[in-house]
Amino acid sequence: MPIQKAMGIAKESGYDLVEVAPQAIPPVCRLLDYGKFLYNKEKRERQTRRHQKSVSVKEITLRQGTSMHDYQIKMRSLSRFLEEGHRVKVVIRHRGREMSHIEIGQRLLGRVREDVKELGVVEKEPETEGRQLVMVLMPKNSKPRGESKNHAKTED
């Protein structure tokens, strides 16, 4: 149908002529209320964003001389982050002469790895980035999908 004729029909009916498939031969157009179309499209996009699970990266910062009590508090936060499904970036900052003893920081990261091995796995192995040692942990899926802990199978 010629464009002028289609635009005339659209104007008579009070709708807009919208090209929906420009790459098709011939191009495909539709009669619709363009404002309502954009509103519904935005509404669908908002709905899909609402149902997406956002995974953020949390950061825990330690030093070589972190006391045992402070370490335990940091581990409590780290385990809570992993249980919530977040990735955790563990950073050990070196200052001054601590740079000459990086192996102490590596042992500390090894201890962190051992303390959270039930909750998470190492996504990125420890590596030095400037004056800091960085390791990234991600949550471990402890229970398979579709299996509920309330329904235990019993044999008769």
Side-chain angles (χ1 to χ4, degrees):
M1 173 181 298
I3 293 175
Q4 279 70 21
K5 186 175 179 184
M7 288 183 77
I9 294 171
K11 197 169 202 173
E12 282 177 17
S13 59
Y15 289 113
D16 300 315
L17 184 66
V18 179
E19 190 175 29
V20 291
Q23 66 276 7
I25 301 175
V28 179
C29 296
R30 234 183 184 173
L31 296 177
L32 52 89
D33 184 358
Y34 192 63
K36 187 175 180 182
F37 171 75
L38 289 179
Y39 171 76
N40 287 333
K41 181 180 175 185
E42 179 64 31
K43 195 173 175 182
R44 280 192 306 270
E45 289 173 0
R46 262 188 310 221
Q47 190 73 17
T48 57
R49 275 193 303 246
R50 188 178 299 142
H51 291 298
Q52 286 180 348
K53 182 179 178 183
S54 63
V55 177
S56 61
V57 178
K58 303 287 188 173
E59 185 171 319
I60 300 285
T61 305
L62 299 167
R63 297 253 331 269
Q64 288 180 4
T66 303
S67 68
M68 184 53 110
H69 182 261
D70 291 341
Y71 174 81
Q72 290 170 348
I73 290 173
K74 300 271 187 177
M75 288 303 103
R76 215 174 310 145
S77 297
L78 192 145
S79 58
R80 181 171 43 92
F81 293 151
L82 288 173
E83 286 171 354
E84 291 173 0
H86 299 286
R87 287 192 166 106
V88 181
K89 180 179 180 181
V90 182
V91 178
I92 297 184
R93 294 230 166 95
H94 301 291
R95 289 171 41 187
R97 294 182 186 170
E98 292 175 353
M99 279 302 291
S100 60
H101 298 287
I102 293 179
E103 69 277 356
I104 297 172
Q106 290 172 339
R107 281 197 304 254
L108 185 58
L109 282 181
R111 194 165 97 195
V112 169
R113 181 189 305 205
E114 284 298 312
D115 289 347
V116 297
K117 66 181 173 187
E118 296 87 30
L119 299 173
V121 294
V122 176
E123 180 180 357
K124 181 180 164 198
E125 290 294 325
E127 66 179 37
T128 305
E129 294 178 0
R131 292 191 150 284
Q132 48 191 17
L133 197 59
V134 178
M135 176 174 70
V136 179
L137 300 167
M138 62 186 261
K140 183 191 288 187
N141 294 333
S142 58
K143 61 180 180 181
R145 293 179 187 245
E147 191 174 305
S148 175
K149 59 183 175 185
N150 295 336
H151 301 294
K153 292 184 180 179
T154 57
E155 292 184 24
D156 292 315

